[in-house]
Amino acid sequence: VSSRLVKWKNVELAIKTFEDLKKKYPKLKLYIAWDWEEKKYLQNLSKNISGVVFLLEISQNEVKKYYQKCSIFLFTSLIDAFWITILEALAMEKPVISLNIWWWKEIIIHNKNWFLAKNEEEFILLTEKLLNDAKKRKEFWENWIKTVEENYSQKIMFEKIEYIIYQ
């Protein structure tokens, strides 16, 4: 999780997911990057869960190293206007799991280039599914790239803008 630690980022869900999966996967680690108002609350929430690592003062280069180490990226935010952390994770070829939020629908195809969980229970199940399926993780990333190339390349975006302007 790479996020400002504020209530609406819902980092509690990442901790809850991790706590549930840690029972089956004792070597699992959860890295939570950045800092903000919920830091103390989240540290207290996870104090008895081994493997939760807070990276509070971290440079962008260090963030890149942690993205490289991870298997999946948990995006737990309930509302987010722009999701730079997701773009960072995808740039590092990491699959993403998020909650099924309305504004994702344009670019995300559930079970093809991303997992969209309907609720917290499904979020945990889908996280475990992706943890156990390296082939699916690779497939998600490849399908994500294909989606971007087919719908959001520079050429296609210019054509869409021209259409809007000159229609």
Side-chain angles (χ1 to χ4, degrees):
V1 177
S2 178
S3 175
R4 288 182 298 142
L5 303 181
V6 294
K7 186 78 173 158
W8 53 272
K9 294 288 191 166
N10 198 24
V11 177
E12 290 172 343
L13 175 57
I15 293 170
K16 180 180 177 182
T17 300
F18 177 76
E19 182 178 28
D20 192 67
L21 295 175
K22 184 74 173 174
K23 298 167 192 164
K24 290 184 184 177
Y25 309 96
K27 293 183 180 180
L28 201 60
K29 290 203 181 294
L30 174 65
Y31 294 100
I32 301 173
W34 304 118
D35 191 353
W36 215 259
E37 65 204 43
E38 293 282 300
K39 173 182 78 174
K40 289 190 188 307
Y41 168 73
L42 294 168
Q43 286 175 321
N44 190 47
L45 182 67
S46 61
K47 71 181 175 189
N48 296 320
I49 308 168
S50 67
V52 177
V53 180
F54 285 86
L55 308 166
L56 301 175
E57 294 185 23
I58 185 169
S59 71
Q60 199 59 41
N61 284 336
E62 288 174 297
V63 169
K64 182 179 177 182
K65 291 176 190 173
Y66 283 99
Y67 276 123
Q68 290 169 330
K69 290 170 86 171
C70 78
S71 299
I72 59 176
F73 184 76
L74 304 178
F75 189 75
T76 56
S77 182
L78 299 171
I79 54 171
D80 233 310
F82 187 72
W83 28 285
I84 190 88
T85 57
I86 289 176
L87 296 178
E88 291 170 344
L90 291 169
M92 301 304 296
E93 301 182 23
K94 303 305 171 184
V96 177
I97 299 173
S98 70
L99 293 169
N100 192 359
I101 298 175
W102 65 271
W103 44 271
W104 297 112
K105 307 291 194 225
E106 185 178 334
I107 59 171
I108 296 165
I109 305 162
H110 175 66
N111 205 27
K112 182 176 179 188
N113 64 4
W114 200 299
F115 272 147
L116 289 169
K118 294 177 190 136
N119 53 47
E120 290 185 3
E121 292 76 25
E122 188 177 49
F123 190 91
I124 294 168
L125 291 172
L126 293 174
T127 300
E128 182 173 17
K129 183 176 181 177
L130 208 48
L131 274 174
N132 288 317
D133 194 343
K135 183 179 175 188
K136 187 69 162 177
R137 292 192 305 264
K138 185 176 191 297
E139 176 187 317
F140 272 13
W141 189 80
E142 289 170 350
N143 287 338
W144 173 259
I145 292 300
K146 186 176 178 185
T147 299
V148 170
E149 288 172 348
E150 290 174 356
N151 298 289
Y152 301 97
S153 69
Q154 187 176 25
K155 180 180 184 285
I156 290 169
M157 293 309 293
F158 282 143
E159 289 170 0
K160 288 178 180 183
I161 290 169
E162 284 181 337
Y163 176 78
I164 291 168
I165 292 171
Y166 300 114
Q167 70 168 328

